[in-house]
């Protein structure tokens, strides 16, 4: 974990780091309470598809977790996202975003052939990177002795399900905006293998996910303590007050 | 509103009062922060069927709202409940509770003929009593100037839906453990007429309510801000941490 830059502002220290995982260099951000002198819990935040480690909802939640709970927070650029995009990928994402903004609330076009396999490959890579991050943090017990939480909706939940199924170092997770995929026995098995406390955020008018498939995913998780928070509105529209719910959830399970 | 007794303990003043509404005497409890000298919001708590104004979940929530938010809280015995039961009714309820405890999680037997009309009569009476309480509290602006919140699940939600549809003095409500009734146009119209912020608590394995009917009720509320919290478990099994969620919800809307 190579520190690229470190700044402290308003009581929060931000470290820009690079993490080497196989042939990949994964850029990340680590926020810490500037006054931290004792071990504290750490939450890993995964961003959504087409987003990156420094989008406003990641920053807003990170600030709350550091400021209100005194936790550390880490965000990574997911595979093929953020600083890891080629110019061609960036142009494609910008075109996709522009099209969505013109027709907000419309369902996505059907997945092109091979898309599911492509996303499964990204997920496997993301899982390896989060696990490598946990290994790297284990070398910094003064900041990141655990326990560890996870927060990630939409694509971050698609990556989080195999991560949480495989990784015993995670103690509580906020997931959401995702669905049980018809015919994916692997996803069903991974979701059922998760037994840590979960908070699942779901949007009732999500244009990308049917109500039935979202409820079915929540139903499949193996956790004895799992709560679903349902709000009206589209995919990108989780109310800001759900950040407070996440703070209360992590306080209950990690503090 | 006639004060029958007043005690102060651990910073909370409890007033036992009787409220005269038509030919009925309605026994109630009013909890106030003992140090209260300025107006503060007040939450009305309705208990569930077969319960009364002093059951543990009412007391537990009331203590939190007084202690953490500095609010006032009022609980009433619902019509035909608590101190308003005849000996015969009390024996019937005890037999019912014993039968439920022997076979927990089993669905209720089908409603006897006339039961729906009987419950609608109780609801009309409960609505009149809550509204009379608000009138009485208006005479005590030093304690109860508003704003007002409502908290009541199960039978309390059956009473709360017509109350909130009719009563403009309520600003936010926690409801739950109830369902859209097939064929009840009145319930549907009342639910749709409610536009204040709502938190709706729902149990995924509720033996008295199908998932579909519970989700359909939430879907029917007219409120732009409405959140449903779904947890696994039976009808009587809302996790205690949902009290903290209620505190956060009222703080956001009443404080």
């Amino acid at each position: 974990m190579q520190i690229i830059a470190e700044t402290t502002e308003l009581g929060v220290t931000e470290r820009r780091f690079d993490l080497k995982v196989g042939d990949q260099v994964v850029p990340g951000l680590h926020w810490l309470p500037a006054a931290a002198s004792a071990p504290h819990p750490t939450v890993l935040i995964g961003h959504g598809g087409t987003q990156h480690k420094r989008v406003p909802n990641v920053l807003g939640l990170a600030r709350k977790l550091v400021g209100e709970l005194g936790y550390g927070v880490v965000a990574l650029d997911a595979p093929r996202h953020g600083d890891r995009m080629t110019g061609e990928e960036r142009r494609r994402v910008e075109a996709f975003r522009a099209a969505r903004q013109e027709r907000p609330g419309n369902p996505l076009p059907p997945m092109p052939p091979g898309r599911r396999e492509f996303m499964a490959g990204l997920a496997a890579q993301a899982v390896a990177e989060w696990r490598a991050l946990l290994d790297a943090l284990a070398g910094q017990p003064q900041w990141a002795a655990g326990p560890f939480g996870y927060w990630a909706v939409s694509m971050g939940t698609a990556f989080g399900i195999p991560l949480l199924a495989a990784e015993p170092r995670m103690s509580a997770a906020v997931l959401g905006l995702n669905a049980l995929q018809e015919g994916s026995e692997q996803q069903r098995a991974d979701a059922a293998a998760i037994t840590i406390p979960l908070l699942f955020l779901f949007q009732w008018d999500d244009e990308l996910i049917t109500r039935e498939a979202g409820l079915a995913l929540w139903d499949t998780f193996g956790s004895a303590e799992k709560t679903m928070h349902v709000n009206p509105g589209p995919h990108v529209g989780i109310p800001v007050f759900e950040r407070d719910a996440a703070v209360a959830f992590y306080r209950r399970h990690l503090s």
Side-chain angles (χ1 to χ4, degrees), chain A:
Chain A
M1 213 167 149
Q2 190 192 347
I3 310 292
I4 307 293
E6 178 168 326
T7 56
T8 295
E9 198 177 12
L10 299 170
V12 180
T13 296
E14 178 186 295
R15 296 176 163 180
R16 213 347 240 112
F17 66 85
D18 278 345
L19 179 71
K20 197 127 188 350
V21 185
D23 64 349
Q24 295 284 309
V25 175
V26 184
L29 295 169
H30 190 175
W31 296 279
L32 296 154
S37 59
H40 48 248
T42 297
V43 174
L44 315 185
I45 302 187
H47 60 74
T50 81
Q51 301 185 334
H52 56 81
K53 65 186 173 309
R54 204 191 276 286
V55 290
N57 69 321
V58 170
L59 289 180
L61 177 65
R63 257 186 230 117
K64 266 189 119 58
L65 294 172
V66 176
E68 296 182 22
L69 296 177
Y71 287 8
V73 175
V74 178
L76 299 179
D77 277 336
R80 304 238 183 185
H81 283 75
D83 299 341
R84 306 169 72 184
M85 273 179 168
T86 63
E88 166 59 25
E89 284 169 335
R90 197 175 304 276
R91 277 186 295 279
R92 213 163 49 220
V93 162
E94 273 156 22
F96 174 83
R97 280 176 173 272
R100 297 283 305 155
Q101 268 175 354
E102 264 172 43
R103 319 193 320 162
N106 277 21
L108 289 179
M111 279 205 283
R115 178 76 183 165
R116 184 174 284 192
E117 293 68 27
F118 174 77
M119 290 304 294
L122 284 198
Q125 196 174 331
V127 169
E129 292 169 3
W130 284 121
R131 302 191 79 177
L133 174 76
L134 289 171
D135 294 342
L137 291 175
Q140 307 180 28
Q142 73 275 33
W143 319 116
F148 294 98
Y150 185 72
W151 188 104
V153 299
S154 195
M155 183 184 80
T157 288
F159 297 172
I161 292 171
L163 173 65
L164 299 172
E167 178 50 67
R169 286 173 286 185
M170 303 291 245
S171 300
V174 179
L175 301 174
L177 305 186
N178 214 303
L180 196 66
Q181 281 172 21
E182 230 172 290
S184 173
E185 287 313 309
Q186 186 60 52
Q187 189 211 28
R188 183 183 290 273
D190 283 347
I194 296 171
T195 56
I196 58 173
L198 292 182
L199 172 57
F200 190 78
L201 306 178
F202 192 64
Q203 292 290 99
W204 199 235
D205 309 298
D206 194 318
E207 67 279 14
L208 308 183
I209 300 172
T210 68
R211 292 171 182 176
E212 293 68 27
L215 294 167
L217 175 56
W218 181 74
D219 205 24
T220 304
F221 290 123
S223 310
E225 185 186 322
K226 55 180 180 180
T227 304
M228 178 164 49
H229 287 189
V230 187
N231 288 285
H235 190 73
V236 177
I238 294 175
V240 172
F241 59 73
E242 291 294 353
R243 286 184 198 157
D244 294 305
V247 166
F249 171 79
Y250 290 125
R251 180 184 283 130
R252 203 157 72 240
H253 295 293
L254 303 182
S255 286

